[in-house]
Structures are given as structure tokens and as C-alpha cells.
Amino acid sequence: MNNTPPATVPAAKAPAPRPERSTGSRIGELVQRQGVLAVLLTVILIASFVYPTFASLDNARGVTVQASFLAIVALGMTLVIITGGIDLSVGSVFALGGVLAAWASQWGFLAALLVPLVVCGGIGLVNGLLIARANMAPFIVTLAALLAARGMLLAFTDEGATTYLVPKDSAFAELGQGSLWGFGHPILIALALFGAGGLLLQRTSFGQTLFAVGGSSDAATLMGLPVARTKILVYTLSGLLAGLAGALNAARLSSGVTIVGVGMELDAISAVVIGGTLLIGGAGSVSGTLWGVLLLAVIQNLINQIGSLNSSYQSVVSGGFLIVVVVAQRYLARSRRTT
């Protein structure tokens, strides 16, 4: 009789539970995403007590309308930076879009919108093709586009001697100067674009591809994601949005001003980074960018309220915020790796 005990099958080990994120890690992520909103609300609250005119409805409308143009440009910059790129051409493209819109407005509303969108979107497309297909550095490509767009602007306006005017009482002028429910059209357009941008990032496969490309372009390629096509699309969108913002600005000013947009690319980058988007790519949100734009606009308005300070102080304050945010991002990223 065989007394050998029957073989037993070892019980399968239960999968190890995922390690829970530490409280510090969760707080750090929250600070990165919503810290700028807390700072914005604090500044608004303090300014409202110190300067009664700051909290007036007219002042709020003026601040938000002025911020709407930078917001539209910064939205495109957000998508680019999430992929790990940069677009230095948006300021010149913004100015070029405004001049083209004012020039084309003599042929009607559609021409005033389509001409700058086609030209500025084409500039973004060329940027994307050179970066994605020719593997050129985004800094170099978009710096060249900055110079080229500004050169096109000067050539088109005879070195700035010619100023194209938008016909008064035209539908295009109404787009920049009109309002709905007490809000200027540029504000409503910017909010609609940010809503669409939020859905694009969080609810579509294209948005998830942006984060994957920014996290690691090589890994995204191995996963079979369309890395080159994604980069081409985001630079094209950046050009389109900069051109649209320029067209709206021309409609509001009733003319194609040639000196606008100088340094706007730096303001857009500052707003994006202050809003929590990592310069190295792979993380960010459009809501944070919106709060970053509003914070810069509120700072500028506060400087105007003080009266004894000139606008150059905005650059000092913005630079200070930018340094603090970048240092905080590095600290938070290091904390996440160790937790």
C-alpha cells in the first residue's frame, strides 16, 4: 500500500496591494495643480480690501478682456509644453494675425478670420513638420519662425508705416468689441476654447497621447503612438490659436497694430508654468494655465492701481513667481520619486 501523501498544489499568492501614496505626495500634487488658484484668490481678496475700485465690475471686465488674448495664446502653448516642446513664435504670429485680419476685413467677416488662421496655422504646421519629421530642436525652429513672422509683418506693412483699419460697425469689429450677457466676446471665446481644451486633454485619446509623448517620446513610439503626427498637430494648433487671438485683438482695437506681441511668448510660457505645467513635459492642465493668465493680469492691474509703479514691475513680479514655481516643481518631483 502506497503511503506517500498526495502532492499538493501551492496556493496562488494574492497580488501585492499597490502602495498607497503618502499624504505628502498627494498634497504636493494638489499644490502643483491648484496652488496658483489659491494664490490668485488670495491676491484678489487682499487687493479688494486695499483698493475698492479693484473689485468693481467694470475693472473686472477690463482685466478679463485684456487677459483673454494672452489666454488663447497660452492655451496653445500649454499643449506644446505638455509634449515637451516650446513655441517661441507665438508673439510674432499673434501680431501677424492681427495685421492680416485687419487687412482682410475689407472683404468681410469670413475673410478677416480665415486669412490669419490659414497663414498662422501654416506657420505652426511648418514648425511641427521641421520638429517632428526633421528632428530639429523646437527652440531653434520656433525662434526662426519668430523672426520670419516678424519679418513678414514688417514687409506687409512697409516697415510699420502702413496701418490697416477694421471698418467701423462691421461684424468683425463687433466680434472684438461686442458683449453677451455682460461679458465681452473675447472672454466668451476664450472660455469656450479652454473648455474644449480641457475635454481634449482629459477625455480623448489624443489628450492622453500628449501626456505620453511628453513623458517619454521614445516610450510613446514603442507603444505605437503617433508621436510625429501629435507634435505636428500641437504646433499647428498653437499657430492657429495665436493667429485667432491676434485677429480678435485687431477687431477690438479696430486696427492691425504692428508693435503688439513683443515678448508675448514669454508671458505665455510664464502663465503655463505658473499654472503647474512642467517644462519638461508630461504633466499639466488647461485650468492651471487659465489661473496663471489671470494671476499675471491681476498683478498688472494692481500695478496700475498703485499708480506710482510702472509696468516694468510686472516683469519683476512675474519673474519672481516663475522662479518660485520652477523650484517648487523640482522639489515636488523629487518628493514623488522618493515616496
Side-chain angles (χ1 to χ4, degrees):
M1 185 174 181
N2 188 5
N3 295 324
T4 304
T8 58
V9 179
K13 293 183 179 180
R18 292 182 179 179
E20 293 186 359
R21 291 184 304 168
S22 66
T23 303
S25 177
R26 286 187 294 228
I27 293 176
E29 185 176 349
L30 180 63
V31 169
Q32 179 181 332
R33 291 184 176 180
Q34 303 299 337
V36 64
L37 178 58
V39 173
L40 173 63
L41 294 176
T42 302
V43 172
I44 291 176
L45 184 63
I46 294 174
S48 299
F49 279 109
V50 176
Y51 301 101
T53 56
F54 176 85
S56 66
L57 186 58
D58 288 340
N59 187 59
R61 286 173 178 167
V63 170
T64 51
V65 168
Q66 191 62 35
S68 61
F69 308 112
L70 176 61
I72 294 173
V73 174
L75 175 59
M77 185 71 76
T78 302
L79 302 180
V80 170
I81 292 180
I82 285 177
T83 63
I86 201 77
D87 190 352
L88 299 179
S89 67
V90 291
S92 295
V93 172
F94 170 84
L96 178 62
V99 170
L100 291 176
W103 169 76
S105 63
Q106 58 187 311
W107 291 290
F109 180 85
L110 288 179
L113 277 182
L114 290 179
V115 170
L117 289 180
V118 170
V119 174
C120 297
I123 294 174
L125 176 61
V126 172
N127 286 342
L129 288 172
L130 291 175
I131 292 167
R133 299 297 185 189
N135 293 322
M136 296 179 66
F139 181 89
I140 299 300
V141 171
T142 57
L143 178 60
L146 177 155
L147 299 174
R150 188 64 65 173
M152 292 170 60
L153 168 66
L154 294 175
F156 193 71
T157 59
D158 298 324
E159 302 294 329
T162 302
T163 301
Y164 297 99
L165 301 178
V166 176
K168 295 182 178 180
D169 301 325
S170 64
F172 182 63
E174 177 67 18
L175 182 66
Q177 301 170 15
S179 62
L180 182 64
W181 306 314
F183 296 95
H185 290 156
I187 300 174
L188 299 177
I189 293 172
L191 290 176
L193 290 172
F194 268 81
L199 291 176
L200 180 72
L201 279 183
Q202 302 298 330
R203 302 296 181 185
T204 67
S205 59
F206 176 73
Q208 300 309 305
T209 301
L210 295 185
F211 290 111
V213 171
S216 174
S217 182
D218 292 336
T221 301
L222 293 175
M223 293 168 60
L225 297 176
V227 175
R229 185 174 67 190
T230 300
K231 291 182 178 181
I232 292 171
L233 284 174
V234 294
Y235 282 97
T236 303
L237 284 173
S238 181
L240 283 170
L241 290 172
L244 174 61
L248 292 174
N249 187 58
R252 181 165 181 79
L253 299 177
S254 295
S255 64
V257 182
T258 59
I259 59 174
V260 298
V262 177
M264 193 178 200
E265 61 279 352
L266 302 181
D267 291 335
I269 294 170
S270 298
V272 172
V273 176
I274 289 173
T277 298
L278 298 180
L279 269 175
I280 59 175
S285 67
V286 297
S287 61
T289 295
L290 182 59
W291 308 140
V293 170
L294 290 176
L295 180 59
L296 295 181
V298 167
I299 291 171
Q300 175 63 54
N301 188 257
L302 274 177
I303 291 172
N304 295 336
Q305 295 277 343
I306 294 172
S308 59
L309 301 176
N310 57 46
S311 59
S312 62
Y313 281 90
Q314 182 193 10
S315 301
V316 176
V317 177
S318 301
F321 268 110
L322 189 58
I323 292 174
V324 171
V325 169
V326 171
V327 171
Q329 287 181 351
R330 289 177 62 87
Y331 173 77
L332 293 174
R334 189 181 300 118
S335 299
R336 288 180 195 171
R337 287 196 296 267
T338 58
T339 54

